[in-house]
């Protein structure tokens, strides 16, 4: 396949990478935008480089060819808006949207030409918007809406693989008193500090959520009762050792803030609401016991002191 002088001139000013290949997949056109994005010079790839090299895997290139010679994506010989990744010379994978066309007909394929639109900024924006939609601004933790979708997901996984799932429900004792006496700005600082404590004290696979005003949930995949209780106890000790309003300190204001902690575990064979309710009930048992303690709720039994 040959590219005319006029075509080459037009593609040279195109802001998107444009790559053309012959019927063997060897690059015949590589415009300046492609050079900039992929890190190759046209001089070293035209007539030398196979198009499969710019994809993370050869299977991607084969799938693109398959789609172009079928009638499933824009009609025979055309591909419109196909999202995938290309790989730069340095090995970085870049999300792109590809629109391409075969040169020639069904019995006379002479290559193809594709327009590669860089989706990096759009994907970053989408990721940031998603993060904002599932994150609580004050604590930096996930929010309640995201909590229920994640609990359902992890319970399904626990049931499928026979794993145990832990759930810790935490409520701040004395938080209203702190807000009333010290002001809401100081109360906000306690929430922020607790969010930071959870982010630092959990495993990468665990997730922390601000469930309500001063109530929090910690979701712990592959966690037994014993390990969930150990974590609950450790987090409580960390809070008491770091918050100046905790029982471990004597603050001039007389404000005392502590954690009432409830723990439950599940293997996924129950409704989501029931699993959450058991952790919540265990937390209320801790609160009724005076707060600053941990309780475990076992199915069909009352919350147990630990």
């Amino acid at each position: 396949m040959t590219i005319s002088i006029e075509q080459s001139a037009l593609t040279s000013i195109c802001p998107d990478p444009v790559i053309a290949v012959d019927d063997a997949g060897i690059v015949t056109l590589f415009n300046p935008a492609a050079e900039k994005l992929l890190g190759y010079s046209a001089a070293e790839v035209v007539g030398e480089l196979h198009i499969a090299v710019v994809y993370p895997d050869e299977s991607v290139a084969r799938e693109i060819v398959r789609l172009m010679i079928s009638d499933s994506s824009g009609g025979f010989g055309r591909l419109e808006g196909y999202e995938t990744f290309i790989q730069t010379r340095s090995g970085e994978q870049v999300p792109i949207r590809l629109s391409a066309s075969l040169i020639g007909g069904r019995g006379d394929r002479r290559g193809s030409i594709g327009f590669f639109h860089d989706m990096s900024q759009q994907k970053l924006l989408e990721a940031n918007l998603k993060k904002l939609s599932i994150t609580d601004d004050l604590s930096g933790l996930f929010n309640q809406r995201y909590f229920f979708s994640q609990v359902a997901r992890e319970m399904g996984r626990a049931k499928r693989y026979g794993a145990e799932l832990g759930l810790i429900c935490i409520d701040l004792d004395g938080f209203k008193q702190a807000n009333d006496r010290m002001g809401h700005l100081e109360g906000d600082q306690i929430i922020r500090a607790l969010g930071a404590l959870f982010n630092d004290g959990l495993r990468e696979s665990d997730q922390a959520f601000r469930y309500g005003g001063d109530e929090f949930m910690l979701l712990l995949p592959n966690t037994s009762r014993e390990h969930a209780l150990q974590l609950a106890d450790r987090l409580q000790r960390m809070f008491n050792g770091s918050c100046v309003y905790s029982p471990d300190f004597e603050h001039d204001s007389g404000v005392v803030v502590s954690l009432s902690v409830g723990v439950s575990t599940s293997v996924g064979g129950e409704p989501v609401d029931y699993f959450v309710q058991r952790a919540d009930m265990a937390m209320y048992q801790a609160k009724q016991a005076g707060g600053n303690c941990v309780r475990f709720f076992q199915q069909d039994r009352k919350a147990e002191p630990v």
Side-chain angles (χ1 to χ4, degrees):
M1 182 186 71
T2 58
I3 301 294
S4 69
I5 295 175
E6 291 81 3
Q7 288 173 321
S8 181
L10 286 173
T11 58
S12 69
I13 61 174
C14 181
D16 285 332
V18 180
I19 304 175
V21 299
D22 61 20
D23 58 354
I26 302 300
V27 174
T28 58
L29 173 69
F30 203 77
N31 77 339
E35 292 180 306
K36 182 178 180 181
L37 181 64
L38 292 168
Y40 297 97
S41 69
E44 64 183 318
V45 300
V46 171
E48 300 291 337
L49 191 73
H50 193 280
I51 189 62
V53 173
V54 306
Y55 295 109
D57 189 274
E58 285 189 18
S59 63
V60 178
R62 289 196 295 270
E63 176 64 9
I64 289 171
V65 172
R66 186 192 70 79
L67 290 171
M68 290 184 67
I69 62 177
S70 72
D71 296 316
S72 61
S73 182
F76 177 83
R78 298 180 64 185
L79 184 64
E80 297 177 359
Y82 181 73
E83 293 192 12
T84 185
F85 290 85
I86 54 175
Q87 186 165 281
T88 69
R89 186 172 196 162
S90 64
E92 178 187 0
Q93 293 190 15
V94 179
I96 57 100
R97 184 174 61 240
L98 171 64
S99 294
S101 177
L102 289 178
I103 306 298
R106 290 181 184 268
D108 184 31
R109 286 165 46 195
R110 288 167 283 156
S112 63
I113 186 167
F115 293 78
F116 298 72
H117 180 67
D118 184 0
M119 299 278 287
S120 299
Q121 291 301 315
Q122 182 174 334
K123 293 296 183 184
L124 180 61
L125 178 61
E126 290 174 358
N128 287 336
L129 289 174
K130 180 180 179 181
K131 184 178 180 181
L132 287 172
S133 72
I134 63 176
T135 303
D136 171 64
D137 289 341
L138 183 58
S139 66
L141 305 176
F142 293 124
N143 59 25
Q144 186 188 93
R145 178 171 52 182
Y146 191 57
F147 168 72
F148 282 101
S149 67
Q150 291 303 100
V151 174
R153 175 174 173 267
E154 292 298 338
M155 288 187 73
R157 182 178 295 174
K159 184 176 181 180
R160 188 162 57 249
Y161 296 109
E164 195 166 7
L165 178 64
L167 182 62
I168 297 177
C169 178
I170 298 173
D171 188 83
L172 281 165
D173 309 314
F175 184 67
K176 184 178 185 302
Q177 183 186 42
N179 269 333
D180 291 345
R181 292 193 183 183
M182 308 303 296
H184 287 278
L185 290 178
E186 192 66 17
D188 288 352
Q189 285 297 101
I190 296 173
I191 296 292
R192 290 191 188 96
L194 194 54
L197 185 149
F198 293 154
N199 281 326
D200 293 340
L202 299 181
R203 302 169 302 181
E204 188 174 344
S205 60
D206 300 333
Q207 296 182 78
F209 306 81
R210 188 181 182 195
Y211 188 71
D214 59 350
E215 190 171 348
F216 301 82
M217 293 285 188
L218 309 180
L219 189 60
L220 317 171
N222 300 310
T223 303
S224 65
R225 166 183 170 165
E226 178 185 2
H227 288 115
L229 289 170
Q230 288 175 355
L231 175 61
D233 182 66
R234 179 165 61 86
L235 291 173
Q236 187 172 52
R237 286 187 281 106
M238 289 173 64
F239 177 80
N240 285 346
S242 60
C243 179
V244 296
Y245 300 108
S246 81
D248 288 3
F249 293 82
E250 293 185 5
H251 199 273
D252 294 340
S253 66
V255 171
V256 179
V257 179
S258 60
L259 305 183
S260 286
V261 185
V263 179
S264 65
T265 58
S266 176
V267 291
E270 61 184 305
V272 170
D273 289 348
Y274 186 48
F275 179 40
V276 174
Q277 184 183 46
R278 287 194 288 111
D280 200 50
M281 290 173 68
M283 180 273 292
Y284 275 107
Q285 288 285 334
K287 192 168 283 291
Q288 289 171 3
N292 193 33
C293 61
V294 178
R295 292 291 184 269
F296 176 80
F297 192 98
Q298 188 171 352
Q299 195 166 359
D300 299 326
R301 294 177 65 181
K302 293 182 179 180
E304 300 176 348
V306 294

